[in-house]
Amino acid sequence: MTARPSALLDDLDTALLALAPIRRRILAALIEPASAAGLAEQLGMPRQKIGYHLNALEAAGLVQLAEERRRRGFTERLFVAAQNYVLDPALMQAPIDPAAVEAQDRHAADHLISTASTLVRDVARMRQDAAAEGARLLTLTIEADVTFAAPADFDAFTEEVSAAVAALARKYAAPSGRRYRLTAVAHPAVSKSAPARN
């Protein structure tokens, strides 16, 4: 069994368990299947300690049993983790009234953050479900840098993009089929020379 592409952490207790430093090291090491003994050697930690944390990670669904094999009279269990974990942004947010978000001005940063949080959670969950079924999740990402000479250009660009998207949405409005959600956002670009925050 290979590692799952990603796993969504949408429960606070599970997220806290995964974020513990020792368990983060174990999860990072389990991109490839390994046993408690193998991890102990790799991480330089006692096998019993690794076994304790592996049991907790397995119970929380953060690692999966990849294989069981007989070795020298005992059964060795190999585990595998996801390649990455996505923390549901909603875990760190105060409860949001969906009606209030919908009523916000489309230029409001709070609206963008709420929309992006929902996007992260929903796509991570759908990708997790698709991987469990052995299917591929078809998505589209378009990115472009735009420079506005004046504030009025931003408003004009917004109107043009909105009109173009609305026209495409009308063109691709089949009465049945798989429905997709298109989300377009614009925000000030981060300077590539800006120092990273730790």
Side-chain angles (χ1 to χ4, degrees):
M1 175 186 291
T2 57
R4 294 170 290 164
S6 64
L8 177 67
L9 301 178
D10 56 1
D11 173 81
L12 186 57
D13 290 337
T14 303
L16 290 173
L17 188 148
L19 290 171
I22 292 176
R23 289 169 181 166
R24 286 177 62 189
R25 291 181 63 199
I26 292 173
L27 292 172
L30 285 176
I31 295 301
E32 297 295 333
S35 65
L39 286 171
E41 182 176 348
Q42 182 180 346
L43 300 177
M45 297 168 58
R47 186 192 176 286
Q48 291 81 2
K49 189 171 187 178
I50 292 289
Y52 168 79
H53 290 294
L54 265 180
N55 288 337
L57 292 169
E58 183 184 19
L62 291 169
V63 298
Q64 294 180 331
L65 183 64
E67 182 185 353
E68 285 186 332
R69 58 191 183 193
R70 296 289 296 175
R71 288 174 64 93
R72 300 174 188 152
F74 70 94
T75 301
E76 183 179 49
R77 305 176 77 220
L78 281 73
F79 294 91
V80 68
Q83 292 177 4
N84 58 72
Y85 290 88
V86 179
L87 185 64
D88 183 352
L91 292 178
M92 304 300 292
Q93 295 175 337
I96 297 174
D97 180 2
V101 171
E102 288 297 322
Q104 287 189 57
D105 182 272
R106 63 181 172 180
H107 298 301
D110 286 344
H111 194 152
L112 189 156
I113 291 170
S114 175
T115 300
S117 297
T118 300
L119 180 78
V120 168
R121 180 182 64 250
D122 291 350
V123 173
R125 185 170 289 144
M126 286 186 287
R127 183 179 180 185
Q128 189 171 283
D129 292 344
E133 296 173 2
R136 178 176 173 235
L137 182 65
L138 188 62
T139 63
L140 167 69
T141 302
I142 299 173
E143 297 181 70
D145 287 335
V146 184
T147 302
F148 301 111
D153 292 343
F154 182 89
D155 293 331
F157 179 82
T158 300
E159 295 304 323
E160 288 185 54
V161 168
S162 298
V165 170
L168 279 170
R170 287 192 297 270
K171 180 179 178 181
Y172 294 94
S176 62
R178 180 69 186 268
R179 191 167 65 92
Y180 272 74
R181 178 76 174 179
L182 174 65
T183 302
V185 304
H187 58 81
V190 177
S191 172
K192 292 181 179 179
S193 61
R197 292 186 176 181
N198 295 325

